Amino acid sequence: MNHSSQCLQILSHLQKGNGITHAQAFNKFRISRLAARIYDLKQKGHPIVMHWVRGNESRYGMYILKSGERK
């Protein structure tokens, strides 16, 4: 799968109001370089931010679209 189609999958997921983590990106879309695709989307002007989420004895980043960008 090329970078463009990976970006489209991620963007579509985010625009539905969903957040995405590295584990979710891999399990759902088989994307192993989520941070790189998020960077690509940000370069195209999409206002994506990362929030830290606490899990069981760990924390991880979840990417979301800033308010106003969700469809």
Side-chain angles (χ1 to χ4, degrees):
M1 184 178 305
N2 66 36
H3 297 173
S4 295
S5 61
Q6 289 179 347
C7 287
L8 288 174
Q9 286 181 309
I10 294 166
L11 184 59
S12 175
H13 183 80
L14 295 174
Q15 287 175 330
K16 293 175 184 170
N18 302 310
I20 193 162
T21 66
H22 288 278
Q24 291 169 334
F26 185 76
N27 291 333
K28 187 168 182 144
F29 304 118
R30 293 295 183 234
I31 295 171
S32 60
R33 297 193 64 222
L34 178 60
R37 300 299 70 83
I38 294 294
Y39 176 83
D40 294 341
L41 289 167
K42 285 182 173 184
Q43 292 297 308
K44 293 179 181 178
H46 298 285
I48 300 169
V49 294
M50 193 217 24
H51 293 282
W52 288 106
V53 178
R54 291 191 185 269
N56 295 335
E57 301 179 25
S58 65
R59 66 182 192 143
Y60 51 92
M62 176 175 287
Y63 295 97
I64 61 169
L65 278 178
K66 284 185 182 178
S67 297
E69 281 293 312
R70 295 179 180 167
K71 292 183 180 176

